[in-house]
């Protein structure tokens, strides 16, 4: 077991009244795989676990219940304080099952983490996501059978065919999965309480984005943000040397600076660019300032775009904007092995965790959502409208999924989407987010002593812009004859077509011919009478 990594990063679990065995699932995430089976008087539990060498740590058993837990917790100390007089649980799974014994399903309201969990409790199955649904969780429920998996594609072939529920959804809040009737995604910040015999599901929210706004003096707001972010970075860095994916923008530079502060030795940072665009100079300023061991990876644009099927396969998302954000990061993660002196870019499909190359990666992803940074909006009313909209619509996009890096055998985590950081950032009144003519003012002010001034004031540049991904994807389509006014729709159609091939039909991303997909969409565009710009 590598203490630097979570015990497990994904699973397929099946709870049944009879004892059939689920077929071998496909996952994009790469790690060791362990199969495990348990039969009690009431039910059987089968699991396929993706782990880093100590699968037992991802299971816990207590009082006739069994918990399967993928991911990790960030408020262990607080949680341990709730269990006085007990033998302190060693693993996160053991901690959660001990809390369940005391609090029942409300235990999930206590957790600040990045996880997905399935608990088999006699005739009940309980499925839970973290507050942000940052590790996706899909379920398929039929009377007598409950399946849960951290990737939708893992339920291919295992899910019951019949649609036993209205619209294929066992509970009204379930997010339907494109072209996979019978499978639905568990919403962010939810716990699903399922009666196995009937398939009856009740969903409870364990977290919702704050709706109120706090009015704080500048100093207090700045101090609150700094402390929350420091704690989130600290609880995510683990005992090893962390690796921060660094653009040189304020979000990732803040994470890198705080990780460097708490690290005994230099931390690692890495930046990606393409032959079209990079932010290498800006990232270098930060790396030099914090004394990190810094690397730059240049990805040829053709290779970057050929990674589209991999990004869609990992994220299981059909939103073309999100795929543009995730594509450069996917390309970076897949090339991290290239930056090592051992020259080993990773292992085969099932054993990503066995070579000692798996890294714990911190990102600055997601800071712009609670702070409204994407919107370049100076009017406070519109800024808060944008924040509300983004907080209402992130669920189901899977942009935070650990599978993006797990596809390359690594574990990634996003401090800005720590539950406490998010609560603070969302709830600050908009005038603290946009202030003195700057976007994300409160964050910039909170890091002003830790980073060079030019970094603190540097305007926002999204990863899709800084790497030239958006423009390269557009050019791929216009070069194929797609009219400019149709490019946005065409991107969506390309991403959906890829999704259908790799998620719905179960093809490996290496088998997807991107040129053929683009040609198909270009032919459709040619027959489209009125391209309508979105
Ligand atoms: P963004 O907010 O668009 O800068 O991107 C989200 C996160 O992705 C950043 O906070 C970084 O952690 C990471 N990132 C963005 N651009 C790069 C890059 N060029 N190289 C490495 N990591 C990056
Ligand atoms: N980002 C943003 C998040 C992208 C917006 N997502 C959403 N509205 N659900 C961030 O890092 O905060 C970039 C590139 O900027 C990705
Ligand atoms: Mg950036």
């Amino acid at each position: 077991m590598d203490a630097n990594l979570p015990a497990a990063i994904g699973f397929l679990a099946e709870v049944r009244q009879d004892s059939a065995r689920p077929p071998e699932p496909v996952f994009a995430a790469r790690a060791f795989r362990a199969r495990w089976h348990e039969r009690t008087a009431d039910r059987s539990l089968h699991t396929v676990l993706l782990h880093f060498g100590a699968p037992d740590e991802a299971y816990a058993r207590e009082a006739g219940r069994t918990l399967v837990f993928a991911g990790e917790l960030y408020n262990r100390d607080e949680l341990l304080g709730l269990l006085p007089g007990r033998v302190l649980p060693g693993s996160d799974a053991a901690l959660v099952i001990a809390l369940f014994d005391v609090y029942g399903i409300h235990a999930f309201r206590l957790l600040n983490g990045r996880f997905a969990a399935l608990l088999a409790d006699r005739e009940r199955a309980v499925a839970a996501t973290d507050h942000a649904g940052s590790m996706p969780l899909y379920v398929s429920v039929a009377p007598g059978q409950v399946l849960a998996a951290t990737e939708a594609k893992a339920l291919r072939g295992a899910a019951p065919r019949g649609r036993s529920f209205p619209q294929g959804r066992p509970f009204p809040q379930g997010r339907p999965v494109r072209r996979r009737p019978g499978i639905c995604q568990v919403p962010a910040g939810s716990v699903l309480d399922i009666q196995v015999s009937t398939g009856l599901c009740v969903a409870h929210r364990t977290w919702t984005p704050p709706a109120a706004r706090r009015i704080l003096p500048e100093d207090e707001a700045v101090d609150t943000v700094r402390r929350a972010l420091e704690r989130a970075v600290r609880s995510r860095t683990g005992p090893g040397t962390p690796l921060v994916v660094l653009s040189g923008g304020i979000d990732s530079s803040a994470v890198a600076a705080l990780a460097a502060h708490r690290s005994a030795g230099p931390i690692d940072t890495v930046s990606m660019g393409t032959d079209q665009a990079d932010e290498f100079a800006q990232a270098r300023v930060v790396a030099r300032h914090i004394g990190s061991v810094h690397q730059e990876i240049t990805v040829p644009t053709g290779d970057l775009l050929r990674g589209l099927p991999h990004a869609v396969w990992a994220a299981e998302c059909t939103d073309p904007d999100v795929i543009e954000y995730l594509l450069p990061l996917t390309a970076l993660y897949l090339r991290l092995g290239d930056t090592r002196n051992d020259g080993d870019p990773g292992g085969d499909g099932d054993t990503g965790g066995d070579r000692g190359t798996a890294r714990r990666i911190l990102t600055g992803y997601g800071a712009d959502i609670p702070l409204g940074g994407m919107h370049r909006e100076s009017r406070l009313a519109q800024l808060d409208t944008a924040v509300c909209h983004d907080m209402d619509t992130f669920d189901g996009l899977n942009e935070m999924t650990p599978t993006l890096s797990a596809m390359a055998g690594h574990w990634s985590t996003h401090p800005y989407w720590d539950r406490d950081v998010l609560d603070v950032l969302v709830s600050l009144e908009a005038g603290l987010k946009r202030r003195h003519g700057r976007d994300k003012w409160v964050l910039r002010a909170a890091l002003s002593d830790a980073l060079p001034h030019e970094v603190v004031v540097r305007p926002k540049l999204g990863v899709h812009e800084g790497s030239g991904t958006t423009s390269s994807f557009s050019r791929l389509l216009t070069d194929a004859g797609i009219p400019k006014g149709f490019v946005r729709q065409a991107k969506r159609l390309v991403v959906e077509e890829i999704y259908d091939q790799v998620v719905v039909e179960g093809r490996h991303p290496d088998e997807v011919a991107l040129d053929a997909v683009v040609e198909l969409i270009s032919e459709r565009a040619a027959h489209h009478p009125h391209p309508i710009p979105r």
Side-chain angles (χ1 to χ4, degrees):
M1 164 74 184
D2 187 335
N4 201 34
L5 299 166
I9 57 166
F11 61 77
L12 165 70
E14 182 174 32
V15 185
R16 287 181 77 128
Q17 290 188 305
D18 57 26
S19 76
R21 187 184 153 91
E24 200 53 50
V26 171
F27 290 101
R30 263 183 55 211
F32 290 121
R33 219 175 245 248
R35 256 189 186 274
W36 193 76
H37 177 221
E38 162 189 285
R39 168 112 213 123
T40 67
D42 312 299
R43 44 93 184 148
S44 67
L45 169 66
H46 279 279
T47 60
V48 179
L49 188 77
L50 298 176
H51 66 95
F52 281 125
D56 289 353
E57 304 265 308
Y59 293 107
R61 259 165 239 107
E62 192 172 310
R65 304 180 186 109
T66 301
L67 176 76
V68 187
F69 186 89
E72 61 188 6
L73 298 173
Y74 302 120
N75 63 338
R76 278 178 215 109
D77 292 348
E78 278 177 358
L79 296 170
L80 287 167
L82 296 174
L83 299 168
R86 287 183 63 128
V87 178
L88 291 185
S91 67
D92 286 352
L95 180 49
V96 173
I97 206 163
L99 290 165
F100 192 90
D101 199 36
V102 180
Y103 291 92
I105 55 160
H106 306 289
F108 292 100
R109 300 180 196 275
L110 302 165
L111 309 181
N112 177 0
R114 174 159 170 77
F115 67 85
L118 189 279
L119 182 126
D121 182 12
R122 296 189 180 84
E123 284 160 8
R124 257 165 119 192
V126 174
T129 53
D130 66 50
H131 64 286
S134 79
M135 185 177 287
L137 184 63
Y138 299 88
V139 292
S140 159
V141 181
Q145 181 189 18
V146 174
L147 282 146
T150 48
E151 295 181 35
K153 66 182 87 57
L155 292 175
R156 223 183 103 76
R161 290 263 152 234
R163 293 198 212 182
S164 329
F165 298 94
Q167 295 131 22
R169 270 187 283 175
F171 58 109
Q173 303 90 335
R175 184 178 298 283
V177 175
R178 175 183 163 86
R179 293 188 52 199
R180 295 308 316 273
I183 299 178
C184 67
Q185 186 166 7
V186 181
S190 289
V191 54
L192 205 57
D193 200 348
I194 311 162
Q195 191 178 32
V196 180
S197 57
T198 58
L200 214 72
C201 296
V202 180
H204 304 264
R205 288 309 300 258
T206 53
W207 184 82
T208 50
R213 299 293 180 253
R214 292 172 71 188
I215 304 156
L216 293 178
E218 283 188 358
D219 286 1
E220 200 180 327
V222 165
D223 190 49
T224 306
V225 168
R226 174 68 175 256
R227 276 186 291 110
L229 194 58
E230 271 174 1
R231 197 208 42 76
V233 169
R234 188 179 342 115
S235 63
R236 277 166 178 75
T237 43
T241 304
L243 173 68
V244 180
V245 283
L246 180 67
S247 67
I250 184 63
D251 310 341
S252 56
S253 301
V255 170
L258 297 179
H261 281 183
R262 74 163 304 273
S263 179
I267 66 160
D268 292 330
T269 50
V270 61
S271 296
M272 76 78 68
T274 65
D275 46 23
Q276 301 289 313
D278 65 60
E279 298 175 79
F280 287 161
Q282 292 85 340
R284 240 176 265 157
V285 171
V286 178
R288 212 171 300 129
H289 185 82
I290 64 171
S292 62
V293 176
H294 185 62
Q295 289 165 322
E296 292 167 356
I297 297 178
T298 301
V299 181
T301 296
D303 292 356
L304 177 79
L305 294 171
R306 273 187 290 278
L308 271 166
H310 293 81
V312 176
W313 193 55
E316 303 192 322
C317 165
T318 55
D319 185 305
D321 294 336
V322 168
I323 293 300
E324 281 185 359
Y325 311 146
L326 302 184
L327 182 58
L329 295 171
T330 310
L332 172 58
Y333 296 142
L334 284 169
R335 283 160 183 80
L336 280 181
D338 297 345
T339 66
R340 290 174 180 282
N341 295 327
D342 67 13
D344 180 358
D348 62 40
D350 282 345
T351 54
D354 69 336
R355 300 180 177 225
T357 57
R359 296 298 305 257
R360 168 175 286 274
I361 300 170
L362 274 68
T363 86
Y365 199 97
D368 295 293
I369 302 172
L371 291 173
M374 293 285 283
H375 298 276
R376 298 176 173 122
E377 175 60 70
S378 55
R379 296 163 301 177
L380 298 189
Q382 281 79 352
L383 183 64
D384 214 352
T385 299
V387 171
C388 289
H389 177 264
D390 285 355
M391 292 308 299
D392 279 346
T393 55
F394 73 84
D395 192 12
L397 295 174
N398 293 352
E399 58 195 316
M400 314 276 171
T401 177
T403 305
L404 281 185
S405 59
M407 185 167 53
H410 305 290
W411 171 251
S412 53
T413 174
H414 314 298
Y416 290 100
W417 274 59
D418 178 274
R419 193 181 65 172
D420 296 345
V421 173
L422 200 52
D423 277 336
V424 167
L425 294 183
V426 173
S427 65
L428 291 177
E429 65 96 356
L432 291 161
K433 302 181 186 184
R434 174 93 203 179
R435 202 174 190 88
H436 305 308
R438 291 201 198 293
D439 64 353
K440 298 190 273 191
W441 174 83
V442 69
L443 176 65
R444 295 180 191 279
L447 271 298
S448 59
D449 65 331
L451 289 165
H453 183 70
E454 64 185 285
V455 178
V456 170
V457 299
R458 192 177 155 221
K460 161 82 192 164
L461 192 62
V463 58
H464 53 303
E465 300 161 317
S467 59
T469 303
T470 297
S471 51
S472 303
F473 191 9
S474 298
R475 206 169 325 109
L476 177 77
L477 300 181
T478 50
D479 286 354
I482 289 171
K484 278 210 168 68
F486 196 71
V487 161
R488 270 187 77 84
Q489 279 155 294
K491 283 184 177 176
R492 181 172 292 280
L493 294 174
V494 166
V495 171
E496 284 176 355
E497 173 62 26
I498 293 172
Y499 179 98
D500 289 347
Q501 293 192 24
V502 297
V503 179
V504 180
E505 290 155 26
R507 216 173 282 178
H508 189 275
D510 287 342
E511 293 163 17
V512 176
L514 182 63
D515 294 346
V517 172
V518 171
E519 201 174 315
L520 179 83
I521 302 309
S522 143
E523 274 165 24
R524 265 196 238 164
H527 294 108
H528 197 291
H530 306 290
I532 313 153
R534 252 181 74 208

